[in-house]
Amino acid sequence: DPLAQGARLLNQELMNLVKKMLNNKVTRSGEQIWQETVGIVKDTVVIKNVTTMMGNLLSNTALLAMSGVPVVDVIKDQIVAMRATYNYNKAQGKLFDIEEELKRGTKPARTRKLMQDKARYENDLRVNPVADLVNAGLYQTIVEDVETSENPFSYTTKLEGLAEPVVARLPKPVVSAAKFLAVTHDTALYQVLSQLTQMSDFAARYALHKYNTTRTKEPMNFEDSVDDVLDTFINYDIPTNKGLQYMNDMGLVMFTKY
């Protein structure tokens, strides 16, 4: 049961966090501490827990089949979408690096090479199978209140800073192993799980959109298909009521957009 699991993890993380803060004798804001603890639990349930991702894949596959998408296409198109999304994100990352280097200024020969690379990556984005759906806003974060990046001003980050002198004295293999087991945000495992979790939902959207627009009987146009996909799957971009979002942040209710 995800709710029971979340409650157990919430209690465990809260106790661990409180012990650390009492030991360090540092005054903390109770509300922010609690919200960060809730965030850790959500991050664990949604990203670090592989069964959540697998359950999401299975439920999306079942939903596509019930929507009339042939099973072969359900599997094939989701694989195509995941590969294409990975390549799309990779090209975007390369373009960002190129633009940052160009801003800093480079020698003429290097500038020409960067411009050639930029044109190639921009073309890769244009011809990517998922480009139109990304531009239409269908590539959304699976859970809006799971923080997958590090916040340098959070209390957990400050606690990590307090522990840094101790960690620095430990052998690097020990630190790396501990981070891997804890699936911390700076590990390759966490990055892979985070991307796969987000891509799993988008891949299902792509499969339904392709079916809608290519089926033999009454195919949809692009706009109607996008609307149908948004109606079929959870639209994470819809703003949450402030009161409900606060209850989400405090852990009083969990994952309300589900």
Side-chain angles (χ1 to χ4, degrees), residues 72-88:
V72 173
D73 291 340
V74 168
I75 305 302
K76 180 187 67 177
D77 290 337
Q78 286 189 94
I79 292 173
V80 168
M82 285 192 176
R83 290 175 177 172
T85 305
Y86 172 82
N87 292 331
Y88 190 95

Side-chain angles (χ1 to χ4, degrees), residues 88 92 125-126 130-139 202 222:
Y88 190 95
Q92 275 196 323
L125 290 180
R126 280 194 297 270
V130 302
D132 290 339
L133 294 186
V134 172
N135 294 332
L138 293 186
Y139 188 41
F202 181 61
F222 181 86

Side-chain angles (χ1 to χ4, degrees), residues 7-21:
R8 288 193 298 271
L9 287 169
L10 181 59
N11 182 64
Q12 180 182 345
E13 292 292 343
L14 178 62
M15 291 301 102
N16 290 339
L17 199 57
V18 169
K19 287 178 182 177
K20 290 178 182 177
M21 292 175 182

Side-chain angles (χ1 to χ4, degrees), residues 111-131:
T111 298
R112 287 193 297 271
K113 175 65 167 59
L114 289 174
M115 293 303 294
Q116 291 173 355
D117 291 342
K118 181 180 179 182
R120 184 174 79 254
Y121 288 122
E122 287 176 340
N123 184 66
D124 288 345
L125 290 180
R126 280 194 297 270
V127 301
N128 191 293
V130 302

Side-chain angles (χ1 to χ4, degrees), residues 30-84:
E31 181 181 60
Q32 187 172 350
I33 294 169
W34 182 264
Q35 289 180 353
E36 288 183 20
T37 305
V38 170
I40 291 171
V41 171
K42 290 179 179 179
D43 188 42
T44 302
V45 172
V46 176
I47 305 297
K48 298 180 183 180
N49 186 356
V50 179
T51 58
T52 300
M53 180 182 67
M54 295 305 298
N56 191 58
L57 283 169
L58 291 173
S59 65
N60 285 342
T61 298
L63 179 58
L64 289 170
M66 288 189 294
S67 299
V69 185
V71 175
V72 173
D73 291 340
V74 168
I75 305 302
K76 180 187 67 177
D77 290 337
Q78 286 189 94
I79 292 173
V80 168
M82 285 192 176
R83 290 175 177 172

